[in-house]
Amino acid sequence: MPTSRTDTSATTRVPRQLTVRLGGAAGQVIEWYDFTIYGYFAVFLAPQFFPAHSEVAGLLATFVGLLSTFVTRPLGAVVVGHFADRLGRRRILAVTIFGASLSAAVIGLLPSASSIGVAASVLVVLCRLTQGIFTGGEVPAAGSLVLEHAPARHRAFSASWVQVGAAAGSILALLVATLLSTVLPHDALAAWGWRIPFLIAAPLGAVGWFVRARLTETPEFTKLAAHGEVVRAPIVELVTSPRHLGQILRLLGVFLCGSFFAFYIFLTYVPTYLLGHAHLGERATFASALLAQCFMICVIPLAGRLADRVGRRPVLFAAQALFVVLSVPVFLLMGLGTFGFVLLAQLVIVIPIGLHQAVQIPIMLELLPTRVRVSGGGLAFGIASALFGGTAPIFAVWLVGRTGTGTSVAIAVVVAALISMAATLVTAETGRRELEA
């Protein structure tokens, strides 16, 4: 049932595209700064919050803490998506960036398990659960904001900036990690230095909120509100529509590989693999990842430009095919344990990751109408991230523990890529469509 009770303030001026893109990217900077810090400092977090009888058990427990963020993402997608589709994208995005940054910063203040016992583990998990709620609808809401402001011929390029924000957040985290590992001895880093990067999330959130405060509501949503066509219960329309449910199922298949499983394997688990199995060393591990992320931040917008020219599906197919071809050689190179080979491997694998990231948001949101765009995109994104993203590092730790080799993880990435290729085959091209109301 439609209603016209919607905030349409701050819509009289047209924002610059750069401002919109930066505003959309701001939340991803916070989110991926936090995820990267958590992944790269997992070896320090494990004894602090998840002490166990073995290193593998401690790491598994630590990555379960990371997984808890993904468990609440579908719930966050429903809640954030509801308000973004009811009240507008602009208003809800100011809330999500505040909550996400605060949830990350609190981890830096928590007492360790040696002080308060199991309560420390519980508090970390609660912080991750809270962040999952705030970030569950962040990507589709920010993506919708950018996409609905963008000229039709530049939608993929504009939306790719949201994922540029993710890469920028990872780069910032790696810079912080590299700096800390350089200036602090290992013992100090393990004892208290790991807290510093989490605390930095608070001022980052304040900067992001300031950028988003300058944004305006999107033309697409404003038009919908002006016609009194805003839906009272977006999630109800989604789950009662066979068409929308079909699109969400297709998106789950498309997201399986490059958007989540391969992404989290190569960007979240690999540092742990390099430190624990390739014995590369902290500084070299952080430095190689930093250079690879800097390269990826260039790949994503270029891939967005390409997707505006040739369509979304060709770029997706190219990314998935590269995962099939490159995953095993990349893990073999990293297993050699030298900085040059590890850097080469990471530079190579971020090419398909960047291609996939560039078209993830356009194909996710262009498939859905404006009235349920954030809710539907968030539901697909939240479920896929919970099933395929948060579980990926845990699965990788377990698999390498059983097999003793990273090649087994690479084969799993190949299988995931083949499934994603099949899903892409049955997903419509959206690049030349007008956005549906």
Side-chain angles (χ1 to χ4, degrees):
M1 184 183 296
T3 179
S4 57
R5 293 179 58 194
T6 307
D7 175 37
T8 58
S9 61
T11 59
T12 55
R13 62 182 175 87
V14 178
R16 296 174 57 191
Q17 283 297 310
L18 180 59
T19 303
V20 173
R21 292 166 186 167
L22 290 176
Q28 284 295 89
V29 172
I30 302 297
E31 181 179 350
W32 278 101
Y33 172 85
D34 169 67
F35 277 128
T36 306
I37 285 296
Y38 194 97
Y40 276 74
F41 282 83
V43 292
F44 302 117
L45 295 173
Q48 291 286 336
F49 296 110
F50 303 98
H53 63 277
S54 71
E55 182 180 354
V56 170
L59 283 173
L60 281 171
T62 305
F63 282 123
V64 167
L66 183 65
L67 172 62
S68 62
T69 307
F70 296 86
V71 170
T72 52
R73 274 194 173 191
L75 173 61
V78 173
V79 175
V80 174
H82 173 84
F83 288 108
D85 285 331
R86 287 271 286 115
L87 303 177
R89 288 65 165 118
R90 172 181 174 270
R91 189 185 269 185
I92 196 65
L93 284 170
V95 177
T96 58
I97 197 168
F98 175 80
S101 59
L102 185 62
S103 300
V106 168
I107 291 178
L109 300 172
L110 294 178
S112 65
S114 61
S115 299
I116 60 172
V118 72
S121 306
V122 174
L123 289 173
V124 169
V125 172
L126 285 175
C127 286
R128 307 310 303 175
L129 290 171
T130 302
Q131 198 196 53
I133 292 174
F134 284 111
T135 60
E138 165 68 34
V139 171
S144 294
L145 179 97
V146 176
L147 198 77
E148 292 170 9
H149 270 299
R153 66 185 184 280
H154 297 314
R155 287 202 305 251
F157 174 71
S158 293
S160 72
W161 277 62
V162 176
Q163 300 301 75
V164 167
S170 291
I171 289 171
L172 181 58
L174 289 167
L175 285 172
V176 171
T178 302
L179 177 62
L180 288 174
S181 64
T182 301
V183 302
L184 292 178
H186 179 85
D187 290 345
L189 197 59
W192 55 267
W194 62 268
R195 294 182 182 274
I196 296 173
F198 287 100
L199 295 174
I200 291 173
L204 285 178
V207 173
W209 181 87
F210 175 78
V211 173
R212 286 187 168 176
R214 300 171 62 85
L215 299 176
T216 64
E217 191 49 73
T218 71
E220 296 293 324
F221 183 82
T222 301
K223 188 189 307 178
L224 198 73
H227 293 150
E229 296 175 353
V230 175
V231 178
R232 285 189 181 276
I235 193 67
V236 174
E237 178 167 330
L238 281 169
V239 300
T240 56
S241 167
R243 177 195 170 203
H244 294 333
L245 287 177
Q247 303 288 36
I248 290 172
L249 288 174
R250 292 182 183 92
L251 287 172
L252 291 179
V254 170
F255 287 166
L256 169 58
C257 185
S259 295
F260 291 105
F261 188 72
F263 187 99
Y264 283 90
I265 289 292
F266 289 110
L267 298 185
T268 301
Y269 167 71
V270 157
T272 300
Y273 175 78
L274 292 175
L275 289 169
H277 294 271
H279 307 292
L280 185 62
E282 293 159 10
R283 295 179 187 178
T285 297
F286 293 156
S288 64
L290 175 60
L291 292 171
Q293 290 277 5
C294 288
F295 179 49
M296 189 172 77
I297 210 170
C298 300
V299 172
I300 293 173
L302 291 175
R305 288 279 192 198
L306 181 64
D308 281 324
R309 287 180 174 271
V310 304
R312 288 42 166 157
R313 294 206 326 161
V315 177
L316 276 174
F317 277 124
Q320 292 153 357
L322 287 172
F323 279 124
V324 171
V325 172
L326 296 174
S327 294
V328 172
V330 159
F331 260 96
L332 291 174
L333 280 174
M334 289 190 297
L336 297 176
T338 64
F339 179 79
F341 284 127
V342 168
L343 177 59
L344 175 61
Q346 292 187 316
L347 289 173
V348 166
I349 204 62
V350 297
I351 294 175
I353 292 175
L355 291 172
H356 216 288
Q357 292 298 296
V359 292
Q360 170 184 286
I361 289 176
I363 201 164
M364 172 176 71
L365 300 177
E366 289 169 346
L367 282 170
L368 297 161
T370 301
R371 63 186 181 275
V372 294
R373 181 165 291 132
V374 181
S375 297
L379 195 60
F381 193 83
I383 293 173
S385 63
L387 292 178
F388 315 133
T391 59
I394 298 172
F395 175 73
V397 169
W398 174 82
L399 194 59
V400 172
R402 290 294 300 270
T403 64
T405 174
T407 306
S408 57
V409 180
I411 293 171
V413 173
V414 171
V415 173
L418 292 171
I419 295 171
S420 288
M421 291 181 80
T424 303
L425 279 172
V426 296
T427 301
E429 174 60 57
T430 61
R432 292 169 180 82
R433 288 182 180 181
E434 292 293 325
L435 294 178
E436 181 185 347

